[in-house]
Amino acid sequence: MNEQSPVTELSLHIAVMSLMAVGGGVVLLGPQVGHYVVDAKQWLSNEQFAAAYAIAQAAPGPNLLFVSLVGWLIAGWAGAICTTLAVLLPSTLLTLAAIRLQARHAGGRLTRALGNAFAPISIGFLAATAWLFTRISNVDLQADALTLAAALILLRSKINPVILIAAGALAGALRLI
């Protein structure tokens, strides 16, 4: 049996996942790519994946491109280029086809039904992503309590999340947490 290279295998996996990443690729791809490269293939550790994700989120540009950094960690420049194309091309082509279809059938029952269906799906994917990164990064009960407090503050107020991130960074720098 002929084994595929990690670049090909990862790129094919990401290409398929990108077709389902409608409306927010990081929400779906974060947990899926993490599970694939950490648990299933063991190409990266939890810490390496979480660090790659965090670095990519802090960098300017589309946050979906964390897969480029994951690809680079696994297979260098070839991995970065192939995973970037794999995440962008299939979903872009699908989106263009959907826009064309929607323009032809604007206001139809199917168009409205699909629009109503994507909201709960997106919320579920967002919750899965939050759970994945909480599981990876929280090392003790104090971290779990802090995560829960931050989530409750965000849900119950209109505070800008950047303020909470800055407060957490300051508390960490002062070694309060």
Side-chain angles (χ1 to χ4, degrees), residues 2 13 16 26 50 58 60 84-86 108 115 118-119 123 137 148 157-158 166-167:
N2 207 359
H13 183 78
V16 170
V26 172
T84 301
L85 292 174
F118 280 119
I123 291 168
S137 63
L148 182 61
S157 72
K158 294 186 184 265

Side-chain angles (χ1 to χ4, degrees), residues 92-114:
T92 299
L93 295 174
L94 178 63
T95 301
L96 291 173
I99 289 170
R100 189 173 207 176
L101 184 65
Q102 194 276 338
R104 286 186 187 153
H105 304 287
R109 284 179 48 186
L110 179 61
T111 304
R112 286 193 311 270
L114 287 173

